[in-house]
Amino acid sequence: AQSVTQPDIHITVSEGASLELRCNYSYGATPYLFWYVQSPGQGLQLLLKYFSGDTLVQGIKGFEAEFKRSQSSFNLRKPSVHWSDAAEYFCAVGSNDYKLSFGAGTTVTVRA
Amino acid sequence: GAVVSQHPSRVICKSGTSVKIECRSLDFQATTMFWYRQFPKQSLMLMATSNEGSKATYEQGVEKDKFLINHASLTLSTLTVTSAHPEDSSFYICSAPTSGVKETQYFGPGTRLLVL
C-alpha cells in the first residue's frame, strides 16, 4: 500500500526567506509523486510532478522538488517565499490506477 | 489548462435529506473521476472511483449505499449523499485525469456540505 508522510504540520517563514517542505513516501514500485497547493476556499493546484528522469523537478510559482530514492523523499523547496505562498501544501503519491494518496498537509504561514 | 467544476460550492441541508453534488470536466472527457473527502485541517481521503459506463468502486470503509455515485457521461459524475447526518458534514472534492496516469489530475474547487 502506498502512503505519504509530511512531518511538518505547520511552518512559519519570513517573506523572502527560503522554504523547504518535507515529504516521505512508501510505495513498492517507482512512485509517481506530486505536490499540490490549496489556498483557503480553493481547489488543489498542481505545483509539480515527478514520474521519471531528472530527479530535480521544476514547477510553477518558483517551486522545485527533488526525488531521492535512497531516502524515499520528495521535498519541496522555494528559494524566496512571497506572502501569496501562504497556503496548505500536500504531497501525494500516485499509482497506475490513477489513485492518489495524500499526506496530511503542511500549513505555511508567511510573516512580513 | 483543463478545468473541473463542482456544483454546488456549498450546501446546507437538514439531517435525513439527500444531497447531490456534481462534478464536471469542462474541456476534456474523463472516463474516470475520483471523489475525495476532506475534514477540516486534514488531508484528502479517497472515497471512490467513478467509472463512466460501469459501477463505481469504493475504498474500504466507504458505504456505497450512503454515497451513491453515477458517472452519467464522459464529462459528468455525481455524488449523492443519502440520508445525510451531521457527521457527513465535510468538504467533498472531485478530480479527473486528462488521459493516462502520467497526465495531470485536475481537481474541482470542492463542495462544502453542512448537515444540520
Side-chain angles (χ1 to χ4, degrees):
Chain A
Q2 58 202 48
S3 66
V4 177
T5 301
Q6 292 180 247
D8 305 304
I9 297 174
H10 192 180
I11 287 180
T12 299
V13 61
S14 298
E15 191 170 16
S18 64
L19 173 69
E20 181 168 14
L21 303 182
R22 295 184 290 166
C23 172
N24 293 97
Y25 68 90
S26 173
Y27 188 62
T30 300
Y32 305 134
L33 295 163
F34 307 82
W35 274 100
Y36 285 88
V37 60
Q38 184 181 38
S39 298
Q42 303 296 314
L44 276 75
Q45 182 181 22
L46 180 69
L47 288 175
L48 45 78
K49 58 187 176 183
Y50 171 80
F51 294 124
S52 64
D54 193 347
T55 56
L56 185 62
V57 181
Q58 301 298 319
I60 63 172
K61 302 184 178 185
F63 285 93
E64 67 177 25
E66 186 171 12
F67 171 60
K68 293 185 177 180
R69 183 185 298 276
S70 62
Q71 298 178 19
S72 297
S73 69
F74 188 56
N75 295 346
L76 181 72
R77 297 191 293 258
K78 184 169 184 177
S80 177
V81 299
H82 186 262
W83 64 266
S84 60
D85 294 322
E88 187 85 12
Y89 291 81
F90 292 97
C91 181
V93 60
S95 57
N96 287 328
D97 58 2
Y98 308 93
K99 296 180 181 180
L100 294 178
S101 294
F102 286 85
T106 298
T107 301
V108 173
T109 299
V110 180
R111 58 177 175 230
Chain B
V3 177
V4 174
S5 70
Q6 283 184 240
H7 178 79
S9 58
R10 60 183 64 194
V11 57
I12 301 173
C13 69
K14 294 182 179 180
S15 184
T17 61
S18 295
V19 175
K20 180 184 287 187
I21 302 170
E22 293 184 348
C23 176
R24 292 182 185 274
S25 56
L26 296 185
D27 51 1
F28 66 99
Q29 294 182 334
T31 56
T32 301
M33 292 183 176
F34 299 93
W35 286 97
Y36 294 84
R37 183 174 181 176
Q38 184 182 27
F39 290 103
K41 303 296 183 182
Q42 295 188 31
S43 185
L44 285 76
M45 298 300 295
L46 180 65
M47 298 174 64
T49 303
S50 175
N51 305 298
E52 192 271 336
S54 63
K55 291 183 179 180
T57 54
Y58 291 81
E59 297 301 301
Q60 190 173 10
V62 178
E63 299 176 59
K64 62 180 182 180
D65 295 329
K66 173 76 171 176
F67 299 99
L68 300 179
I69 291 174
N70 181 31
H71 202 129
S73 73
L74 288 172
T75 59
L76 174 63
S77 174
T78 60
L79 169 68
T80 301
V81 183
T82 62
S83 186
H85 289 96
E87 57 265 31
D88 298 324
S89 299
S90 189
F91 195 50
Y92 293 87
I93 303 172
C94 70
S95 74
T98 48
S99 61
V101 66
K102 291 190 176 182
E103 294 300 321
T104 300
Q105 274 205 49
Y106 289 91
F107 284 79
T111 297
R112 178 76 60 189
L113 170 63
L114 176 61
V115 184
L116 302 177

